[in-house]
Amino acid sequence: MEDVLKQQKPEVRMRAFRAIDEPETCELFIKGHTEVLTSIGVTKVTSSKNGWASNPAVFVIIVESLDGKKVYGGARVHVSGGSEPLPIEQATGKMDPGIFELVWTYAQHGTGEICGLWNSNELAGYGIGTPLLIRTLIAISSQIGLKSLFALCAPYTVKPVVNCGMVLVDSIGNNGTFYYPKLDLVATAMILHDVSALKKAREEDRLAIFEMRGKPDSFKINELKNKEITIDFQLIIPNLDQWNLAETITTASQTFLGNKIEVNVLAFF
C-alpha cells in the first residue's frame, strides 16, 4: 500500500465518528497511538487503554488516507456517564479524589474530556498536529451537546488548549498539576467552561472552530506551514439519532451518587 504522505501533493481526510460504530477503525487508532507512546517510553496512560473502543459515550477524530486503510493520527472526546469514568478521573482520582465531585458537578449539564491525542511523525511534518486536532475536537463537541470539556494536558498541549479557551483547574492536585504519567512528567488539569461561545479563546482559534461548525462536511485546508497538503473534513457525526445525552447525564449522576467509580493505576492529552 502506497503511503499517501509520500506523494507530491498528499490528500488526507479528517473524520468524526462514534467509537462503537467503527471497531476496525478504532483498532487502527489504537495501534498508531500505542506505537507513538511506546516510542517516547510511556506505557501506562489511562487514555491509551482500549476500553474506550466499546464505550458508547466516546467520539473519535481521525486523520486517515482517503481509502480508510491508514490512520495517521487522531484524538477523542469522552462524555461523562459512559461505561467507564473519564480518563482524568481514572488518572488522578487516587492522588486527589476531589476530581470525582468536580466532574459530577459539570456532568449534570453535559461534560466530557478531550484526550488520546496523537499523530505520526510524518503527519506532524505537515503541520497537522496538536492545535488543529484540539480545534476539531471542540468543534464536534457542540454536536454531541456538551457544555464543558476537561483535559489533562502534557506541557506541550497547555498553550493550544488555552488558545481555544481552556483555563486551569486550580482546585485539584497541586494548583491543577499532577506528576503523571511518570514522576518526571507534569500533567495540568484544564477546563473549557463554554463549548458553544468560546469567550476566552484566541480570536484565530475561535473563528476556525466556528468555521468548522458552520460547514462540517465541506471545510477544507489546502496548505499548512507552507507545505501543500489537502485535508478534507467530514465532521458530521453519523448516527447521532441513536445518541442520547440526557440518558448519559443520568448515568453519570447515578455513578457518582452510588460511589461506583473504580480508580485505575494509571489520561494524558
Side-chain angles (χ1 to χ4, degrees):
M1 180 178 62
E2 182 182 5
D3 191 332
V4 174
L5 293 182
K6 292 182 179 179
Q7 296 177 3
Q8 186 174 1
K9 295 182 179 180
E11 183 172 4
V12 295
R13 176 171 53 225
M14 189 171 284
R15 183 167 64 85
F17 61 94
R18 193 177 178 190
I20 60 173
D21 290 339
E22 297 195 26
E24 292 182 359
T25 310
C26 288
E27 285 299 318
L28 293 175
F29 182 110
I30 290 166
K31 179 181 177 183
H33 192 195
T34 300
E35 290 174 354
V36 169
L37 289 174
T38 302
S39 71
I40 60 173
V42 176
T43 57
K44 292 183 179 180
V45 179
T46 306
S47 65
S48 70
K49 302 301 181 183
N50 302 341
W52 63 265
S54 57
N55 184 343
V58 170
F59 297 84
V60 187
I61 289 288
I62 56 168
V63 183
E64 64 179 355
S65 57
L66 297 184
D67 62 9
K69 294 181 179 179
K70 175 74 174 178
V71 173
Y72 294 102
R76 307 189 304 271
V77 178
H78 289 219
V79 181
S80 180
S83 57
E84 55 187 6
L86 293 184
I88 192 172
E89 294 177 277
Q90 298 179 59
T92 68
K94 280 188 174 180
M95 293 178 275
D96 188 344
I99 184 62
F100 300 126
E101 185 168 1
L102 179 65
V103 169
W104 176 66
T105 299
Y106 287 93
Q108 295 172 74
H109 307 285
T111 198
E113 178 180 353
I114 53 178
C115 63
L117 188 151
W118 68 278
N119 60 347
S120 64
N121 290 332
E122 309 98 298
L123 195 66
Y126 281 93
I128 309 177
T130 301
L132 182 58
L133 286 166
I134 290 171
R135 289 175 176 178
T136 309
L137 289 170
I138 294 172
I140 69 165
S141 292
S142 58
Q143 286 184 60
I144 303 167
L146 300 183
K147 303 299 183 185
S148 59
L149 283 169
F150 286 89
L152 186 61
C153 296
Y156 68 91
T157 60
V158 172
K159 183 177 179 180
V161 301
V162 169
N163 288 343
C164 289
M166 284 195 158
V167 296
L168 179 70
V169 182
D170 59 7
S171 60
I172 59 172
N174 180 15
N175 195 37
T177 64
F178 299 86
Y179 288 111
Y180 177 85
K182 301 190 296 182
L183 288 178
D184 57 343
L185 294 176
V186 175
T188 303
M190 307 290 292
I191 188 169
L192 176 63
H193 290 289
D194 57 344
V195 168
S196 296
L198 304 174
K199 291 180 180 178
K200 292 185 178 295
R202 190 177 63 163
E203 187 69 6
E204 177 184 340
D205 292 83
R206 182 190 301 110
L207 292 176
I209 293 168
F210 285 170
E211 187 174 10
M212 289 179 184
R213 290 176 179 170
K215 46 183 182 180
D217 275 2
S218 59
F219 187 69
K220 182 178 292 229
I221 291 175
N222 293 305
E223 183 180 297
L224 279 173
K225 293 188 176 180
N226 298 317
K227 289 187 178 183
E228 284 190 334
I229 182 169
T230 297
I231 310 167
D232 298 308
F233 287 75
Q234 291 185 5
L235 301 184
I236 294 179
I237 303 169
N239 306 319
L240 270 185
D241 59 323
Q242 300 172 30
W243 162 249
N244 190 318
L245 178 60
E247 289 182 359
T248 308
I249 291 173
T250 298
T251 301
S253 297
Q254 291 173 342
T255 299
F256 175 79
L257 295 173
N259 196 28
K260 297 177 181 177
I261 292 178
E262 178 182 349
V263 181
N264 293 330
V265 177
L266 277 179
F268 209 24
F269 184 56

